[in-house]
Amino acid sequence: MSNYFKLLRKPVTTLLCAPQQLSKRFYAAAPKRFYKKTSVLYNDGKYEVTLDSRKLKTPNGTLFTVKSEPLAIAVATEFEAQKEHIERSKMHLSALCFTALDNPNKHTKTDMVNYILNYIATDTVLFQYDDEKDLHDLQRNEWDPIINWFNERYGTNLEKTMVMSPPNVTADDKMKVSKYLLSHSEDVLFGFIYAVDTLKSVLLAFATIDQRITVDKAVALARLEEEYQSKFWGRVEWAHDLSQQELQARLAAAVLFVHLNRSEHFVKEKLIV
């Protein structure tokens, strides 16, 4: 107890500024590149990636295999693009493949479809505001065409909301979107979820995957309010630019992942002579 009171009698500056008492935060160093070249192999109907003579494996130790040769080439290219260190945070396609192979949370197909369906009620483009005319006009001009396209494409009747309450998503709307999603494999659904999480929007994700809008346009629409507000509050160029580029990279990877995983003609078949 006496030591406690002695500590209290020390000047505040001593307590706050003593270098030896400052805690240090340590970050894990990025792993060094341990291979010289990457290759793609075809084995038993699937494609594998090798790092020198080692076969690529997922974080859980699963052998990396995909049905699409272009997807395997893209993953190998991500590894080849690494310099002295392996920056996993920039390897979006590899991360998607690893997640689909390991399925760390043991999601079923139904789990993934329900996740996307539940996201519709919080979709960015369905929440609009009329208390600020310029912003409302911008949302109406840029977001309403996406809502109209989605309803026409998938036979739904989604409507935007002008209040804080979530929009009404009927059971019929969910059934139609669910039927479309269930027609895809689990691998493809991982790509859909990655796109939805990136844009915070099911409608924008679907529009991008269906090639209705470009990746750049989708990211711009997802950031519509942020860009509008930056006109008044200012813009930190490097921070906003990095955020935009990161979203574009993530979305591009998701779209590519979906298309390459649902392209059956990318699977090589043995010719029987």
Side-chain angles (χ1 to χ4, degrees), residues 7 26 31 34 41 50 54 57 78 93 98 106 112 149 160-162 181 226 228 251 257 261 271:
L7 183 62
F26 296 94
F34 57 87
L41 301 178
T50 61
R54 304 178 184 180
K57 293 185 178 180
E78 281 191 338
L93 271 175
F98 292 162
K106 307 304 178 186
M112 290 187 280
W149 167 84
K160 62 185 179 183
T161 179
M162 307 301 294
L181 290 171
E226 182 181 346
Y228 175 81
L251 181 59
F257 183 83
N261 269 303
L271 297 177

Side-chain angles (χ1 to χ4, degrees), residues 11-186:
V12 175
T13 54
T14 303
L15 293 175
L16 296 180
C17 302
Q20 65 273 18
Q21 295 181 12
L22 295 178
S23 61
K24 295 182 179 180
R25 182 175 295 180
F26 296 94
Y27 296 94
K32 289 187 177 182
R33 174 169 173 160
F34 57 87
Y35 52 90
K36 293 183 179 180
K37 66 176 182 177
T38 62
S39 302
V40 173
L41 301 178
Y42 180 72
N43 183 26
D44 195 24
K46 294 184 179 181
Y47 294 90
E48 303 172 359
V49 172
T50 61
L51 309 177
D52 292 337
S53 59
R54 304 178 184 180
K55 289 188 175 183
L56 179 63
K57 293 185 178 180
T58 69
N60 283 358
T62 305
L63 179 65
F64 176 90
T65 57
V66 292
K67 296 179 181 179
S68 166
E69 182 178 18
L71 181 57
I73 293 174
V75 171
T77 301
E78 281 191 338
F79 275 89
E80 185 63 35
Q82 304 307 301
K83 304 303 180 183
E84 184 178 350
H85 293 87
I86 301 175
E87 298 183 69
R88 295 194 180 99
S89 62
K90 297 181 180 179
M91 303 171 67
H92 301 297
L93 271 175
S94 299
L96 260 172
C97 290
F98 292 162
T99 301
L101 287 167
D102 283 342
N103 193 6
N105 295 315
K106 307 304 178 186
H107 289 317
T108 65
K109 196 172 185 178
T110 302
D111 292 334
M112 290 187 280
V113 170
N114 286 336
Y115 178 84
I116 295 173
L117 294 178
N118 292 333
Y119 215 113
I120 297 175
T122 64
D123 198 292
T124 298
V125 303
L126 295 180
F127 284 85
Q128 301 185 20
Y129 310 96
D130 59 1
D131 55 347
E132 194 170 345
K133 185 180 183 304
D134 290 343
L135 177 58
H136 175 59
D137 290 344
L138 186 62
Q139 292 173 333
R140 184 180 58 195
N141 293 334
E142 297 289 348
W143 286 352
D144 282 7
I146 299 297
I147 300 173
N148 295 335
W149 167 84
F150 188 91
N151 284 331
E152 183 179 351
R153 168 70 173 82
Y154 296 101
T156 55
N157 292 288
L158 300 178
E159 294 183 357
K160 62 185 179 183
T161 179
M162 307 301 294
V163 294
M164 294 302 294
S165 301
N168 180 41
V169 183
T170 67
D172 186 57
D173 290 335
K174 289 186 176 181
M175 182 192 69
K176 290 176 179 177
V177 177
S178 174
K179 184 177 180 180
Y180 169 74
L181 290 171
L182 287 171
S183 68
H184 296 85
S185 67
E186 288 88 345

Side-chain angles (χ1 to χ4, degrees), residues 200-240:
K200 303 295 184 290
S201 170
V202 174
L203 277 67
L204 289 176
F206 277 46
T208 314
I209 291 171
D210 278 10
Q211 298 180 313
R212 175 71 180 184
I213 56 177
T214 65
V215 167
D216 292 356
K217 180 65 173 179
V219 170
L221 292 178
R223 291 163 48 89
L224 193 68
E225 286 186 57
E226 182 181 346
E227 290 297 326
Y228 175 81
Q229 296 296 341
S230 69
K231 295 178 181 178
F232 302 97
W233 302 104
R235 177 185 176 93
V236 181
E237 294 294 339
W238 64 269
H240 283 83

